[in-house]
């Protein structure tokens, strides 16, 4: 079974690398705001970096460079029209961490500032539902903050997740 999983994992990684654009990015999820390029590049790049191996690491490094060249001052978003968001920025920061590359301090600071007093992260910095803490982005954002600055790890993660779990 392990050989089957390893073979499928290798095929998946090769497919992802075959879809990488010449500039180092990926593009997918064509929504009304346009296709994703920043978010999907960070997610796929992180997946390949964590997988390891020379080809995967090279593709992830090209993605990291593209992200450095194509970002908001604060971080990354779904694409270049949506503004920075927590999960895109967190995935990008984790990619830099996985590759042992320095990440922009402004993105790390911006991500830490999205921590809400109730113990989770908000997706966007705005005064609507997107500006409230969301379980769906809290875990990845918390991981990115903790890895980049363990001494500044915000409190309350477990309490927030327990308070927002679905009933069993």
């Amino acid at each position: 079974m392990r050989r089957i999983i390893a073979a499928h994992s290798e095929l998946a990684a090769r497919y992802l690398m075959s879809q990488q654009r010449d500039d180092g990015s990926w593009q997918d999820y064509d929504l009304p705001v346009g296709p994703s390029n920043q978010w999907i590049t960070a997610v796929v790049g992180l997946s390949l970096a964590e997988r390891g191996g020379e080809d995967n690491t090279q593709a992830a490094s090209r993605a990291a460079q593209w992200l450095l060249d194509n970002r908001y001052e604060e971080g990354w978003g779904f694409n270049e029209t949506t503004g920075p968001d927590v999960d895109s920025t967190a995935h990008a920061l984790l990619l830099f961490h996985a590759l042992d590359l320095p990440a922009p301090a402004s993105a790390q600071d911006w991500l830490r500032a999205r921590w809400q007093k109730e113990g989770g992260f908000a997706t966007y910095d705005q005064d609507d539902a997107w500006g409230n803490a969301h379980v769906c982005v809290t875990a990845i954002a918390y991981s990115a903050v903790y890895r980049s600055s363990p001494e500044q790890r915000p409190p309350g993660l477990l309490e927030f997740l327990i308070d927002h779990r679905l009933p069993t």
Side-chain angles (χ1 to χ4, degrees), residues 14-76:
R14 293 220 174 272
Y15 174 76
L16 289 172
M17 286 185 283
S18 77
Q19 299 303 300
Q20 190 172 28
R21 298 165 71 104
D22 290 342
D23 63 6
S25 70
W26 280 270
Q27 185 171 307
D28 205 348
Y29 301 100
D30 195 2
L31 299 179
V33 295
S36 177
N37 53 15
Q38 293 179 1
W39 174 77
I40 197 66
T41 297
V43 169
V44 174
L46 175 59
S47 296
L48 292 173
E50 288 180 338
R51 189 167 190 285
E54 186 176 339
D55 291 345
N56 297 323
T57 301
Q58 184 179 23
S61 295
R62 290 179 57 228
Q65 184 59 55
W66 184 88
L67 287 165
L68 279 175
D69 295 340
N70 294 274
R71 70 181 184 93
Y72 298 95
E73 182 179 336
E74 304 90 347
W76 295 268

Side-chain angles (χ1 to χ4, degrees), residues 11-161:
L11 288 172
R14 293 220 174 272
Y15 174 76
L16 289 172
M17 286 185 283
S18 77
Q19 299 303 300
Q20 190 172 28
R21 298 165 71 104
D22 290 342
D23 63 6
S25 70
W26 280 270
Q27 185 171 307
D28 205 348
Y29 301 100
D30 195 2
L31 299 179
V33 295
S36 177
N37 53 15
Q38 293 179 1
W39 174 77
I40 197 66
T41 297
V43 169
V44 174
L46 175 59
S47 296
L48 292 173
E50 288 180 338
R51 189 167 190 285
E54 186 176 339
D55 291 345
N56 297 323
T57 301
Q58 184 179 23
S61 295
R62 290 179 57 228
Q65 184 59 55
W66 184 88
L67 287 165
L68 279 175
D69 295 340
N70 294 274
R71 70 181 184 93
Y72 298 95
E73 182 179 336
E74 304 90 347
W76 295 268
F78 186 75
N79 62 31
E80 63 280 349
T81 68
T82 59
D85 66 63
V86 163
D87 56 319
S88 300
T89 300
H91 279 97
L93 291 174
L94 288 169
L95 169 60
F96 292 115
H97 177 79
L99 294 171
D100 200 26
L101 296 172
S106 59
Q108 295 171 2
D109 293 343
W110 183 86
L111 183 61
R112 275 193 293 277
R114 304 290 72 75
W115 184 257
Q116 303 292 302
K117 65 180 183 232
E118 62 266 27
F121 282 88
T123 304
Y124 290 104
D125 186 18
Q126 53 194 51
D127 292 329
D128 62 10
W130 289 103
N132 297 327
H134 291 273
V135 173
C136 62
V137 300
T138 291
I140 194 75
Y142 191 87
S143 181
V145 168
Y146 175 75
R147 288 185 186 178
S148 65
S149 303
E151 70 284 355
Q152 294 185 21
R153 182 175 51 180
L157 173 71
L158 292 178
E159 294 83 357
F160 175 78
L161 295 175

